[in-house]
Amino acid sequence: MENKFGMFIHWGFYSLLGVQEQVLARNDMKNEEYEQYMHQFNPVDYDPEEWVLLAKKAGMKYICFTAKHHDGFCMWDTKYTPYNIMNTPYKKDVLRMLADACEKHGMLLSLYYSNPDWHHENAYNSLSTHQWKSRCPEKADSVKYREFVKNQITELLTGYGKIYTLFWDIPPRYEDKSLNELARKLMPGILINNRGYDQGDFATPERNVPDGSRFPAMTEACESVGEQSWGYRSNEDYFSARFLMKSIDKIMAMGGSYLLNIGPMPSGKLPEEGVRLIEKIGDWYQRMEGNLENHEADPFPYRIAGADAFIASRKNNKTYLHFYQGISSSAINFFSIPGAPRAVRLLNDGRALPVRFEKLPAYFDMGVARGPFYSITHIPADEFPLEPMVIEITW
């Protein structure tokens, strides 16, 4: 997996309530009361091309869509349960429409599938979490439920074109390798996360930026534009662009992919504040000129003065210094650097930055200035207060 920037989409009829994608459990609703809302779900403003074009404008390369969340409602035309989008007033396969839009615009499509299912009578799993609203715990039957899951995965991986990744959610806490084996048989080359029935291919830190400078294995992190919900929330508390860009820069500089989530409204439109954030982040991301994707760690042990945190990566024989929390000074003074830079640019606006080689009076031994040191100077530290700053060095 080459690391990529992607869009996560949590959408279902739970959006009608405007609370959270797990509103059935979080508001302790009765299953029968909650499930009646499917008969009001009619997203007449749904235009998947708008979603795809927003993602493309932001520099995203794939969309991961929630085919089925914990409530068990299916957002595609499945023949294995009537609890699906075709039995709403909308009566259209929204996943089919999204798959077609992705294919039209060269966007990769990934699918999310929840292991907990609060509607299926055999789905209760005493070993796992998120079982709060399971309909019939007394009818728990993992064999029958897994057969249902296999049937649905077969539909998803044979009816919607090329699927890039499969995102299981909520580990069942027991192993059954046959599910991932089936997925790989149906969709050769598919990448599968580690929340399913075996180890899978990649890790999935959620709402978390791990420590370190490089992931030891394939990783896809995810975060939402909203602090309270992944699905649509009418009174959402939105993260700042600075917080999200800092997270994206660090995760991707460490070699991970990054899924940024937005929850569509019940009409099918995306909330304006979420769109604004994605556009603002996308503007910064596009100015990074692709250096956050398909790179490698720079092995040189750079040392700089001060406490600014950074990660060094390499791509096309150039070094990229990612100051994901910003830069505190107009200069970066190197105590350890592999040689003389031929050229230096600040990617945030493309400007060339000068390099000096001299003794620095702030660093001295026994009254004598140490050095000389290489320094990158005239950095506009205050001009990009919301953005991670990325410096390109050509050797």
Side-chain angles (χ1 to χ4, degrees):
M1 174 193 257
E2 294 180 356
N3 65 313
K4 297 176 175 66
F5 186 27
M7 177 182 283
F8 212 172
I9 295 176
H10 279 64
W11 195 36
F13 72 73
Y14 46 75
S15 59
L16 287 164
L17 287 89
V19 176
Q20 210 244 15
E21 73 284 349
Q22 297 182 42
V23 61
L24 170 58
R26 303 301 171 94
N27 282 15
D28 196 22
M29 299 175 68
K30 293 185 182 301
N31 290 63
E32 295 78 11
E33 173 195 358
Y34 173 80
E35 291 174 3
Q36 290 306 306
Y37 280 95
M38 71 175 282
H39 302 298
Q40 299 178 32
F41 192 46
N42 190 19
V44 293
D45 295 327
Y46 173 52
D47 181 354
E49 283 200 57
E50 287 186 3
W51 298 4
V52 174
L53 292 175
L54 173 64
K56 199 165 188 177
K57 180 181 178 182
M60 295 168 169
K61 301 297 193 299
Y62 66 117
I63 290 176
C64 184
F65 180 73
T66 51
K68 185 193 79 166
H69 207 265
H70 308 336
D71 62 359
F73 183 76
C74 299
M75 296 290 282
W76 79 97
D77 185 6
T78 176
K79 66 181 181 181
Y80 294 101
T81 175
Y83 195 46
N84 70 71
I85 188 67
M86 304 306 290
N87 294 313
T88 68
Y90 192 61
K91 298 184 185 301
K92 297 178 186 178
D93 187 337
V94 298
L95 177 56
R96 173 76 273 156
M97 297 164 69
L98 178 60
D100 290 345
C102 285
E103 183 178 14
K104 178 180 177 179
H105 294 286
M107 182 69 60
L108 296 170
L109 177 63
S110 296
L111 295 177
Y112 165 112
Y113 188 94
S114 169
N115 293 315
D117 187 320
W118 298 336
H119 180 79
H120 194 285
E121 67 176 10
N122 303 128
Y124 178 73
N125 178 1
S126 62
L127 300 176
S128 187
T129 63
H130 293 70
Q131 305 297 310
W132 311 297
K133 284 295 178 177
S134 294
R135 178 178 284 279
C136 304
E138 70 280 3
K139 293 185 179 181
D141 189 325
S142 66
V143 174
K144 286 184 179 179
Y145 179 60
R146 274 176 285 161
E147 190 62 28
F148 169 78
V149 172
K150 287 180 180 180
N151 287 333
Q152 290 208 309
I153 292 298
T154 299
E155 287 182 327
L156 292 169
L157 298 185
T158 58
Y160 295 90
K162 178 70 175 177
I163 302 302
Y164 174 50
T165 64
L166 175 59
F167 192 117
W168 298 110
D169 200 14
I170 312 301
R173 297 183 177 174
Y174 63 85
E175 186 175 90
D176 181 352
K177 293 185 177 181
S178 68
L179 282 100
N180 282 353
E181 288 171 356
L182 173 64
R184 292 191 173 98
K185 179 181 178 181
L186 296 171
M187 187 63 60
I190 193 170
L191 297 167
I192 304 174
N193 76 347
N194 64 347
R195 300 188 189 185
Y197 295 82
D198 66 32
Q199 186 174 359
D201 301 310
F202 60 91
T204 53
E206 179 176 317
R207 292 196 187 272
N208 173 39
V209 179
D211 293 331
S213 59
R214 199 75 183 177
F215 288 114
M218 194 185 305
T219 299
E220 177 190 71
C222 57
E223 180 61 274
S224 184
V225 295
E227 183 179 15
Q228 298 296 325
S229 179
W230 296 79
Y232 173 66
R233 178 173 171 82
S234 59
N235 190 27
E236 185 59 277
D237 305 321
Y238 286 93
F239 285 115
S240 68
R242 180 182 184 276
F243 170 83
L244 293 171
M245 285 188 284
K246 181 173 71 172
S247 171
I248 293 165
D249 189 54
K250 186 172 192 294
I251 290 287
M252 295 193 71
M254 291 174 67
S257 293
Y258 197 99
L259 274 176
L260 181 59
N261 177 81
I262 187 169
M265 297 185 290
S267 67
K269 302 292 283 187
L270 298 174
E272 291 183 4
E273 182 67 10
V275 170
R276 185 193 67 79
L277 271 171
I278 289 173
E279 288 178 339
K280 189 166 190 175
I281 292 163
D283 173 66
W284 164 80
Y285 189 83
Q286 294 284 35
R287 282 183 275 123
M288 296 300 103
E289 299 180 2
N291 83 84
L292 283 161
E293 302 173 16
N294 193 25
H295 55 76
E296 59 186 9
D298 189 321
F300 188 82
Y302 296 90
R303 284 198 309 116
I304 65 173
D308 290 338
F310 72 95
I311 293 173
S313 64
R314 287 185 69 87
K315 184 174 181 178
N316 298 329
N317 297 316
K318 296 179 180 180
T319 292
Y320 294 89
L321 302 181
H322 298 262
F323 291 87
Y324 49 90
Q325 294 180 334
I327 297 176
S328 58
S329 167
S330 63
I332 298 170
N333 302 310
F334 290 92
F335 293 157
S336 177
I337 191 171
R342 288 174 46 214
V344 178
R345 280 198 310 150
L346 176 66
L347 288 191
N348 297 67
D349 64 358
R351 79 179 69 181
L353 296 174
V355 178
R356 70 185 178 205
F357 183 65
E358 64 182 19
K359 292 185 176 183
L360 299 175
Y363 311 107
F364 64 97
D365 289 320
M366 303 297 291
V368 178
R370 292 171 55 196
F373 302 111
Y374 282 106
S375 302
I376 298 171
T377 67
H378 291 79
I379 300 169
D382 287 331
E383 289 186 26
F384 301 95
L386 301 181
E387 299 181 3
M389 299 183 77
V390 180
I391 291 176
E392 176 193 80
I393 303 176
T394 303
W395 300 104

